[in-house]
Amino acid sequence: MAVLPIRIWGDPVLHAPADPVGEITDDVRTLVADMYETMDAAPGVGLAAPQVGVSLRIYVYSYEDDDGQPWRGEIINPELLMTPPEPGHPDEDAESEGCLSFPGERFPLRRADRAVVTGIDLSGEPVRIDVDGWRARIMQHEFDHLDGIIYVDRVSDGDWKTAQKISKKRGWGRPGQSWLPGVDDLEG
């Protein structure tokens, strides 16, 4: 297993829909193992294949509930169903998210409180995840990556302008930029 470089906002692979996985090969299994390693090293609660430069519809996730219960897995070729988000403005404390491809920043974003994701795992077995709260947020965030959407693409106009200023100041927004967890410090 290896820790892979994480692409930064502006890299073309992050802004285009990913391709479906046709067959689960040893290369796909290695990629998923490397994605877990990278996500854990970052640290993050989710990581999509495009974030490590691979345009495939795969993501991994790992989250520990308040009661210490672990929740970890991978989804290949996912489909997402969700309830509509509540109308209104997001709560800056309770609904802020970050992204390993826009590292060191958090912005409030309203998401659906419930999501259902279906797909397959590395064994080719069907997976169905029916979640709410933060788990639903994680599923929506990672699924967005597979459609070429980064969460800053969905934030309010004011936060979008702030994200643009941050990106410009840090020299982001160009192809080929990445950071390596455990080596680079991009916390701001």
Side-chain angles (χ1 to χ4, degrees), residues 24 28 32 73-77 119-127:
I24 299 172
V28 169
V32 170
E74 72 276 340
I75 305 268
I76 299 170
N77 296 334
I120 59 173
D121 64 16
L122 275 178
S123 302
E125 296 298 316
V127 173

Side-chain angles (χ1 to χ4, degrees), residues 84-136:
E86 292 289 325
H89 298 288
D91 180 286
E92 290 194 24
D93 294 322
E95 295 179 284
S96 284
E97 20 184 291
C99 181
L100 297 174
S101 290
F102 202 93
E105 301 299 327
R106 296 184 68 80
F107 293 101
L109 177 62
R110 178 65 44 103
R111 295 267 193 194
D113 190 54
R114 182 164 177 258
V116 176
V117 180
T118 58
I120 59 173
D121 64 16
L122 275 178
S123 302
E125 296 298 316
V127 173
R128 183 178 191 278
I129 299 171
D130 187 340
V131 290
D132 60 9
W134 275 101
R135 289 178 178 189

Side-chain angles (χ1 to χ4, degrees), residues 3-188:
V3 174
L4 303 173
I6 297 174
R7 301 294 174 96
I8 294 175
W9 184 83
D11 192 289
V13 73
L14 295 172
H15 303 285
D19 298 321
V21 174
E23 180 182 351
I24 299 172
T25 63
D26 286 342
D27 286 344
V28 169
R29 288 183 192 88
T30 299
L31 171 64
V32 170
D34 290 347
M35 288 170 62
Y36 278 119
E37 186 91 4
T38 303
M39 175 182 62
D40 292 343
V45 295
L47 186 70
Q51 291 181 272
V52 294
V54 179
S55 185
L56 288 175
R57 297 188 74 78
I58 302 171
Y59 66 80
V60 298
Y61 57 89
S62 182
Y63 180 72
E64 189 172 294
D65 284 340
D66 292 337
D67 60 2
Q69 294 298 313
W71 180 64
R72 189 172 175 92
E74 72 276 340
I75 305 268
I76 299 170
N77 296 334
E79 296 291 330
L80 172 71
L81 298 171
M82 60 189 179
T83 58
E86 292 289 325
H89 298 288
D91 180 286
E92 290 194 24
D93 294 322
E95 295 179 284
S96 284
E97 20 184 291
C99 181
L100 297 174
S101 290
F102 202 93
E105 301 299 327
R106 296 184 68 80
F107 293 101
L109 177 62
R110 178 65 44 103
R111 295 267 193 194
D113 190 54
R114 182 164 177 258
V116 176
V117 180
T118 58
I120 59 173
D121 64 16
L122 275 178
S123 302
E125 296 298 316
V127 173
R128 183 178 191 278
I129 299 171
D130 187 340
V131 290
D132 60 9
W134 275 101
R135 289 178 178 189
R137 179 175 293 276
I138 293 166
M139 294 292 106
Q140 293 167 75
H141 181 109
E142 299 310 325
F143 187 86
D144 272 354
H145 278 297
L146 304 182
D147 285 341
I149 300 167
I150 296 181
Y151 89 109
V152 294
D153 296 331
R154 294 191 181 275
V155 299
S156 71
D157 288 344
D159 288 336
W160 168 252
K161 289 175 185 172
T162 300
Q164 294 297 311
K165 289 177 186 175
I166 291 167
S167 177
K168 184 176 181 178
K169 180 180 177 185
R170 295 185 183 168
W172 297 348
R174 298 187 316 263
Q177 294 182 306
S178 65
W179 69 281
L180 189 60
V183 175
D184 298 319
D185 177 19
L186 294 181
E187 287 304 309

